[in-house]
Amino acid sequence: MCDAECPFCGSRKKKTREHRIPKSWKPYLHLVPEVVSTVAVKGVIGDPSGSSRSQLDVQYGGICAECNNGWLRELDEAAMARMLNLARFMTQEIPAGEVLPVMRSVVRAALMTAWGKRDIGAYPAASFVEFFETRLPPSGAYVFMGFTDWFSMHAAGHHALWPVEEPGGAHLVSWGLDRLFIVVIFPKDGDQVSATEVASSLRKRAKGLLKQVWPNPTGRRLKIPSQNAHRIDREVVSGLTQIKPLLFGEEPLVFNLDPDRTTARYDGMSERELIDTYVTRPSKRPPEL
Ligand SMILES: [Zn+2]
């Protein structure tokens, strides 16, 4: 692995595994007992596979040690208190001075998710380089946030892209961090026009559910909407996190299949019972804001 380039800085030095979400955030969040992965290529959903790790254990290789243990870690430390309080729904606000630190942490997690799930066809290579050079959300990147009652939906991250075979288009990455639901759009092959079209469609369709938090042209504090948190379920999320439904109004694929083993284990249990039995509760309160 030593000769592959780090997607951020291009270094060919020793590679390490980078966590999707920082490991140090684990005691503050609800943890699921199993991560189910489903891959769909060109509209065909493959068999789901389960892994008995929590969503905070997901990590991906190929990132150089200097990026991993240096600036990437610092970005998450700077946003940790705000992100965890948002995740636990202890605040709905991002003060003006914290918008950029929060966006940096969210962009890092989104890029890592796209990198880890690049087997669907591609990853936003130019956005990695720009993020490394500027430490700012890359050109053509959009971030949306909202609160949901269905916590940790897409907890291990979801990466969609379109088109698969031709150049151009957009990437869309989404995940839940406890009650907070996040969607990030990146241009594919530098195609900012398509990324902007996807973002403008998402703005319309997600009205009252998700708020665009980046770019934030007003420069003011942000308030993340929660009034429709009960409406953001698996089906609604499917329509907001896939590119063809956003661009062309196609019916979204609904990833509601679980591996047989998982289905058998949880059969007949209500949502409440499942949460009480299997979800590990946080052992720590988020840091004071
Ligand atoms: Zn690097």
Side-chain angles (χ1 to χ4, degrees), residues 6 8-11 63-64 66-67:
C6 169
F8 291 105
C9 70
S11 162
I63 307 302
C64 82
E66 259 171 67
C67 283

